[in-house]
Amino acid sequence: MQISSGDEASKCGDAMHTKIYAGTLFDSEKCELIKHRVISVSANVDFSDARNIDLRSKTVLPGFVDCHVHFFLHPYSETSWEDQNTRESLVERTIRATVHARETLMAGYTAVRDLGTEGAGDADVLFRKCVSGPNPLIPGPRYFCANRAIVTTGSYGPRNRLYPNRAGVEGKTGAEAADGVDECIKVVRRQVGAGADWIKLYADYRFRAEMTQVSPQTASESLDTFNTDELHAIVQTAHKLGVKVAAHTDGKSSWEGLISPDSSYQVDSVEHGHSVGESSFFRRSPDDYVARDTGIRQPTVWIPTLSVYYTLGKDTPMWKQAASTFTRAIKASDLNVKIACGGDTGTFAHGDNSLEMKLMVHLGADWKTVLRWGTLGGWECIRSMRWEGQKGKERLAKIHELREDARVVGDNEVPFGAVKQGFAADIIATDGDLTQDFERAVDKGSIVFVMKGGRVYKRDGQTP
């Protein structure tokens, strides 16, 4: 799907194009609002057979991107993580995932990255087929998946209370264990071969969680999981296969190695990082990020996941620490990571994804910058490695003439996150005022129009 924009309807092409009349348009590249634009979408609109879409009283934006969701989880306030893993069938969890996909799309999120099925095995790779293509089986966002998170033996759950030395409960494990270089290489190769868009690893976790009854502080402490050789094996194997890597970390001890261009295991995104040290937000020289054959092409993207900390307890030390870390980061003049939005959605309700952007602004981030993080910045994070490095830059520079069709390159290979020529027609609109009440404007209740890939899924607040 192709998009062009102009000041007059006459610039919008022929009758084969659908015209969207935008009262205000958010430019995610320049981080500015532009008045009175007409957007021409080279796609058929099947909602009421409309060729002209009047959004002159609305603010039009690129579709939002959530870089950290779990479609196969629902809020822990409803059912604990452990019970979801051990007491809910795969059928139930998959049906829930279809509901979550729809709720997410209708909230204005046209693309997500799912960072682990949490006990649902390979369901995400198979689920992706159902929400992709020009005629998906169910409505949902573009879906990038990471299959099973990779952990070390003994570090993850669910815990077997009756047989503590056994992995999981009745064969159910929340992630996939790998120990030693050979196993790490093997599991990455298997997951990539199975169709994963991303590889996710746990760089640290609450390894000694079973000490809760006798030493709560010990049980709650995150400890490094993989050694450096294992981390190197995971990251380098994934990159050689053309797949990016995300790392769960609280940021206490593993952060530097995961984001450093000098490290052999620099990852593409770090998740959480609420305990990042005071000195860890200083930028290196841009020359330090020179592309390597199998390395990172740019600074690592940080997904703060403020929402999960806030939801699990806004009066807890962990939320206060996460808020403090984020506030320090946005005040740093030389930030050594990029930022994108992802709430760990699924631990709280799907459809409430915008909580992450709301919290960022509440903590002092500029709302225009946050909108960039939640749109174009999201694509820059979750896009494939084919868009990175020098070849990626050359490809993006020619996007106006490439006219890459999703039917040819696939749903997850088209560019999105900006309303501009050559990008996918992932477009939403709010009836709220971003300048006066940002929180209301990005809330799901204010999203009155949703288009993904040129197809309208919501109009005038109504769904077909």
Side-chain angles (χ1 to χ4, degrees):
M1 314 305 172
Q2 310 302 319
I3 303 173
S4 59
S5 58
D7 295 311
E8 301 173 6
S10 60
K11 297 180 180 180
C12 291
D14 56 33
M16 294 301 293
H17 288 69
T18 294
K19 298 174 184 177
I20 299 175
Y21 296 85
T24 304
L25 172 67
F26 176 72
D27 185 327
S28 58
E29 289 187 307
K30 298 179 180 178
C31 289
E32 62 182 22
L33 295 172
I34 306 171
K35 293 288 187 180
H36 309 306
R37 304 296 281 180
V38 181
I39 305 161
S40 178
V41 180
S42 57
N44 292 326
V45 176
D46 60 358
F47 192 111
S48 303
D49 297 319
R51 288 295 177 188
N52 296 306
I53 299 173
D54 186 358
L55 297 174
R56 287 176 292 182
S57 62
K58 309 296 187 286
T59 298
V60 175
L61 312 94
F64 297 142
V65 181
D66 191 327
C67 296
H68 193 139
V69 307
H70 295 282
F71 271 180
F72 291 86
L73 292 177
H74 58 99
Y76 298 164
S77 59
E78 298 173 356
T79 308
S80 70
W81 178 87
E82 186 165 305
D83 281 352
Q84 290 184 51
N85 269 260
T86 60
R87 297 187 177 185
E88 292 181 353
S89 69
L90 182 58
V91 172
E92 177 183 348
R93 296 186 69 185
T94 302
I95 291 174
R96 286 183 181 275
T98 66
V99 176
H100 300 156
R102 180 184 178 87
E103 290 172 336
T104 300
L105 181 63
M106 297 312 163
Y109 282 79
T110 54
V112 300
R113 180 182 59 165
D114 193 322
L115 285 181
T117 57
E118 304 290 331
D122 301 322
D124 59 344
V125 175
L126 303 172
F127 184 81
R128 183 180 58 198
K129 178 182 177 182
C130 299
V131 294
S132 301
N135 296 297
L137 290 177
I138 56 172
R142 297 181 191 277
Y143 189 64
F144 293 72
C145 58
N147 203 231
R148 313 164 193 228
I150 304 173
V151 299
T152 56
T153 294
S155 62
Y156 208 62
R159 307 281 182 171
N160 195 316
R161 302 288 187 261
L162 192 58
Y163 302 101
N165 256 308
R166 292 184 183 176
V169 177
E170 296 182 354
K172 283 290 193 76
T173 56
E176 185 166 6
D179 303 290
V181 168
D182 289 345
E183 283 191 16
C184 288
I185 292 174
K186 186 175 182 179
V187 71
V188 171
R189 287 174 174 169
R190 184 171 61 249
Q191 289 193 12
V192 172
D197 295 289
W198 277 74
I199 291 295
K200 180 188 179 182
L201 63 88
Y202 276 76
D204 52 49
Y205 205 63
R206 299 182 294 278
F207 221 115
R208 304 187 68 188
E210 290 302 283
M211 296 288 291
T212 301
Q213 289 183 331
V214 294
S215 183
Q217 187 171 351
T218 297
S220 64
E221 183 178 2
S222 284
L223 302 173
D224 290 348
T225 51
F226 297 100
N227 62 40
T228 55
D229 289 339
E230 291 168 324
L231 289 170
H232 172 89
I234 292 172
V235 174
Q236 295 298 321
T237 301
H239 284 169
K240 285 180 180 179
L241 294 173
V243 175
K244 290 181 174 181
V245 180
H248 167 113
T249 176
D250 73 357
K252 188 174 295 182
S253 60
S254 56
W255 178 272
E256 290 287 353
L258 294 170
I259 71 167
S260 171
D262 297 328
S263 169
S264 66
Y265 54 89
Q266 183 198 2
V267 296
D268 300 84
S269 77
V270 283
E271 315 299 309
H272 310 303
H274 68 278
S275 298
V276 175
E278 191 73 35
S279 63
S280 299
F281 283 127
F282 296 109
R283 185 189 297 280
R284 291 170 175 264
S285 163
D287 293 336
D288 291 334
Y289 294 98
V290 174
R292 301 189 291 272
D293 288 342
T294 58
I296 300 300
R297 292 109 348 251
Q298 59 182 13
T300 297
V301 181
W302 176 36
I303 313 298
T305 64
L306 297 169
S307 301
V308 65
Y309 300 118
Y310 181 83
T311 303
L312 295 179
K314 59 183 178 181
D315 295 322
T316 63
M318 190 172 288
W319 159 247
K320 293 176 182 178
Q321 190 173 25
S324 174
T325 297
F326 179 77
T327 301
R328 282 192 288 109
I330 61 175
K331 289 181 179 178
S333 58
D334 294 322
L335 194 62
N336 62 0
V337 290
K338 291 185 175 182
I339 298 177
C341 296
D344 208 349
T345 315
T347 60
F348 60 98
H350 296 277
D352 289 343
N353 312 61
S354 62
L355 176 61
E356 187 73 8
M357 293 193 291
K358 296 175 184 179
L359 290 171
M360 287 176 164
V361 172
H362 179 73
L363 291 173
D366 175 70
W367 68 265
K368 293 180 181 179
T369 302
V370 170
L371 274 185
R372 190 196 187 283
W373 293 341
T375 53
L376 185 59
W379 174 65
E380 291 172 347
C381 173
I382 68 177
R383 67 189 181 187
S384 78
M385 287 183 69
R386 296 172 66 88
W387 288 100
E388 308 296 353
Q390 186 58 37
K391 289 184 178 179
K393 290 181 180 179
E394 293 172 359
R395 182 184 182 190
L396 189 57
K398 297 179 180 179
I399 194 64
H400 292 278
E401 60 191 67
L402 284 179
R403 294 185 172 275
E404 296 191 355
D405 194 317
R407 292 170 295 184
V408 177
V409 300
D411 276 16
N412 290 4
E413 199 56 44
V414 293
F416 52 86
V419 180
K420 61 179 294 186
Q421 186 173 354
F423 274 55
D426 294 355
I427 301 171
I428 65 173
T430 175
D431 63 5
D433 188 331
L434 291 165
T435 63
Q436 298 298 316
D437 191 346
F438 179 84
E439 289 194 12
R440 179 188 175 279
V442 299
D443 188 80
K444 63 183 178 183
S446 297
I447 304 302
V448 295
F449 176 82
V450 175
M451 170 185 280
K452 188 195 81 170
R455 179 175 178 176
V456 175
Y457 287 87
K458 187 177 188 180
R459 188 175 183 190
D460 297 328
Q462 303 297 314
T463 57

